Amino acid sequence: MHDLPDGWKPGGPLNAGTLKTEYAERPLGTDVRRPRFGWIATGPGYGATQAAYQVLVASSPELLTPESADVWDSGKVTSARTFGIEYDGQALTARTRYHWTVRLWDGLDREGSWAEPEWFETGLLDDGWGGARWIGGTTDSAPLLRQAFTTDGTVKQARVYASGLGYADLRVNGQRISDAVLDPGFTDYDHTVLYVTHDVTGLLRSGDNVVGAELGRGFFGLTTPNAWRWHQAPWTAEPRLLARLVIEYDDGRTTEVVSDESWRITGGPTISDDLYTGETYDARRALPGWDTAGFDDSTWSTATIVDPPKGALQAQAHEPIRVVETVEPTDITEVRPGVWIVDFGRTTAGWTKLTVNADAGTIISLTHGETVADDNVVAVNVHVEGDRIQRDEYIAAGHGVEEWEPRFSYKGFRYVQVEGSTDRPDVLMRVVHSDVRDVTWFSSTQSSYEQFDQAMRRTVLNNLHGIPTDTPFMEKNGWTGDAQVGGPTMLATLDLARFFTKWLGDIRNSQAESGQLPVIVPSSGWGFTDLSPATEWPTVYPFLLREMHRAYGDERLLHEHWESLTRYLSWELDRVEDGLSVSVLGDWLPPGFGRGPAPEDRRLTGTAYLYRALIASAEIGDLIGKPNDYRKAAAELQDGLNRAFLDREAGVYRSGDDPDYRQTSNAVPLAFGMVPEELVRRVAANLAADVEARGFHLNTGCLGVGVLLPVLTAHGYADAATKVALQRSYPSWGYWFDLGADTMWEKWEEDSRSRNHYFQGTVVQWVFENVAGLRNLDAGWQRILVRPDARGEVDSATIRTDTIRGRVTVAWKRTSRVLSLDVQVPVGTTAEIHVPSAAASDVTAVPAPFAGEASYEDGYTVYTVPGGLWNFTSRLA
């Protein structure tokens, strides 16, 4: 505990809340054999710290006492750690629910109360799949599979364990067993195949029952020829299913229903499904009741046992994709007879739900796109063969009012062009993405900053579908460079502990024997020689691992990836030439270069990103006790970059024969700490001068955009950074929004082909860290910095973030010449708070006894404080 001032009476003891297992509340079906526990320590008072904990695990909540816990009792463990507490009891049993709780002791050795119990449930572990086999068959449309069975007693619990490739819409007795869609998640199927676990106890009935599935292609069975060769992936095959239903009765009996050749199969009403071209659904082929008992399936075929995929089966741990919102149209216009354009007023990822009353055989087409030109929704994708892009077709059954929505494809869109019916269309937007949790809330008197936050948040979510994609409209690919530049902003906005853990596994699975990583993950094999090598893209691997530790303090993740990480870095270092890393992509899509990279020598950014990757890897090695020479290798790259590109006399990084000053070429070395110390001020001054000479416009692509404003601010040019941020003319974010944007775009130009691209939207990181003033320094928010140093053109800003240790809040407000700053610091976090001020004597801290001695440096009075609620009032010059 923080030293108590004389006469101070501490508050009550610490307690634990928000209990999670493997970052999830009540995970169902985990395959982690030594799951990790975490909680939020809460308690009144200032400077409180957790000094010890005790975890109990039992087979039932009633046994969660130190005297009766029958699975594990950690005993009193002296530790301040509140997350990553690894289970260390007896071997866990497959398909079993375990209950757990924890109590805490504070620094005065006061004992808290036992937390409200939580539970987790194991998956199949070593229990395997019993007699379940992969099944499929030849059908002329998306296959329907069903199996009838009976129950003959009171069901205690029932679980379905299933994997459908590419996707499975699972049902029991006519009801979907989950609200998850596009499930299970996409992986490199030659390495990993995900299975899901569902509790279907409440769906079973006494007597006759049916379990069924409709299968979609996804990336597993995609057939449309495309630039990334997904139609030729090594795993490409027809859809298939693996399922095991385990039923436990009150009397102790267990019965199972498994996928095998006794199942029945037929082609269903989904005539075609493709992630790029959309779906065709013929309602005349619908089979009402096919997934219920009593349905006659005598004309169906017998399912076929098919070859299993090469990948190892693994329980899906990341959040499922769900329909998270339904949106009404803002405008519906008939542009010509029978052709309607529906505007939903926002850009999203998902699909439309159609309600129609039409004659049998009527074809209603729905073409999705982000823009409209010449009274047509633009749905063009030059990377995919054919002229059908993002178009769904519904063929009416003629039975009155009919409703339909896709199951196996999603689109990026704002507009839908509806054809085939003279009636005004009845359509709804269904917003679909990985159901990750928002963790940050931001507000400000500067409306543009709020607009940036909302647009970036929406854009990121639109690109989360089991993997972080580049655009839901064009590619749906996991471009590593996009996550490289967007990762910190994404982690600051959303809870991505489970999501990025999964994708980091995808990165490892994509690695070639040589150690090389592709530029998209997962990959069909594309991206090793296509647009590669591009150092700035796959160096996301070490960078994201380091950022995950910064956000969540996850050391297990670092251990698990160390061997693959070192193989990758060996490959990168082996191809360094003359101290430089060769790259073919560079600062992608700066203003005026709408077809690709900027004109500078791409070895500059390639070398800089490899340098940062090596520094991150050296820090990872330090954290997990793995000696390495990465700092030495980084120093050699630093020397190589400065030797090749730094004009020491001018204080400028120049690139090749290009006479134009490139902001990215100078901002990136400054941001990564590669500029010789004696030249830092001159290089920063030249960068600021260029920004001003351009009328306070940026001249950066995706690599430079995220570092430009922080670098300007860090070196005393916050006013210039603010003017760039609030610029309204081309190129700027304001230019987009004045054109009607509600998301971040791929290009700075008005004709941007994708309007759902987050890699140019990383200005939000500067808004969070420099305007609101909150920065996470390390180790799961163990240390934070509060320093609102970009306060121009704004009178107040508030940011609230739910971290792995608890809530952090920073709120500042300027009234005339007085600035108030409120900071909420959770238990276990130390905050270094820089209060803007003319002198230390101008600052008042509340509560004063705990604020301690302050120092003063360059316009800020600096306090170092523990957990608690703090208020600072400052008289400004």
Side-chain angles (χ1 to χ4, degrees), residues 636-862:
E636 293 171 355
L637 288 172
Q638 183 179 13
D639 290 343
L641 181 136
N642 289 328
R643 187 170 57 250
F645 302 113
L646 177 59
D647 182 337
R648 291 177 175 270
E649 183 176 346
V652 168
Y653 283 85
R654 302 189 188 280
S655 174
D657 297 327
D658 179 30
D660 193 18
Y661 180 94
R662 305 300 305 176
Q663 290 177 3
T664 297
S665 298
N666 291 271
V668 166
L670 281 167
F672 294 177
M674 302 183 74
V675 182
E677 185 176 354
E678 67 275 13
L679 292 177
V680 167
R681 295 185 69 176
R682 290 183 63 197
V683 174
N686 284 325
L687 178 62
D690 182 80
V691 167
E692 184 173 3
R694 296 177 187 273
F696 297 101
H697 285 92
L698 54 76
N699 187 28
T700 54
C702 70
L703 300 183
V705 68
V707 299
L708 177 63
L709 304 191
V711 161
L712 289 171
T713 304
H715 293 285
Y717 302 99
D719 287 346
T722 299
K723 290 177 180 179
V724 173
L726 298 179
Q727 183 63 250
R728 307 302 298 189
S729 57
Y730 169 85
S732 69
W733 299 281
Y735 174 73
W736 286 344
F737 295 127
D738 286 347
L739 290 172
D742 66 315
T743 47
M744 299 298 185
W745 292 3
E746 182 182 22
K747 299 194 302 182
W748 296 109
E749 287 73 29
E750 183 177 1
D751 65 349
S752 180
R753 65 173 189 164
S754 167
R755 299 194 172 193
N756 227 331
H757 229 96
Y758 61 78
F759 68 6
Q760 305 276 31
T762 47
V763 60
V764 171
Q765 194 69 16
W766 175 79
V767 171
F768 287 175
E769 295 188 349
N770 297 96
V771 177
L774 174 61
R775 301 170 218 183
N776 170 29
L777 297 182
D778 209 359
W781 294 80
Q782 185 175 36
R783 295 184 300 114
I784 63 173
L785 173 67
V786 176
R787 182 184 170 99
D789 50 8
R791 304 182 306 280
E793 304 297 326
V794 58
D795 293 323
S796 70
T798 299
I799 187 168
R800 182 178 68 230
T801 299
D802 290 329
T803 79
I804 198 167
R805 296 179 189 270
R807 177 161 293 178
V808 177
T809 303
V810 175
W812 66 265
K813 181 178 182 180
R814 180 174 51 216
T815 305
S816 186
R817 294 177 56 193
V818 176
L819 183 141
S820 63
L821 173 63
D822 296 314
V823 182
Q824 176 183 0
V825 183
V827 172
T829 295
T830 298
E832 184 178 302
I833 301 176
H834 294 219
V835 185
S837 53
S841 59
D842 291 332
V843 178
T844 301
V846 178
F850 272 116
E853 296 296 324
S855 61
Y856 186 82
E857 52 184 62
D858 196 22
Y860 295 86
T861 301
V862 181

Side-chain angles (χ1 to χ4, degrees), residues 4 97 190 297 517 540 543 670 705 732 762 789 872:
L4 292 170
R97 178 168 294 187
D190 277 355
D297 61 9
L517 296 172
V540 69
F543 178 67
L670 281 167
V705 68
S732 69
T762 47
D789 50 8
F872 304 89

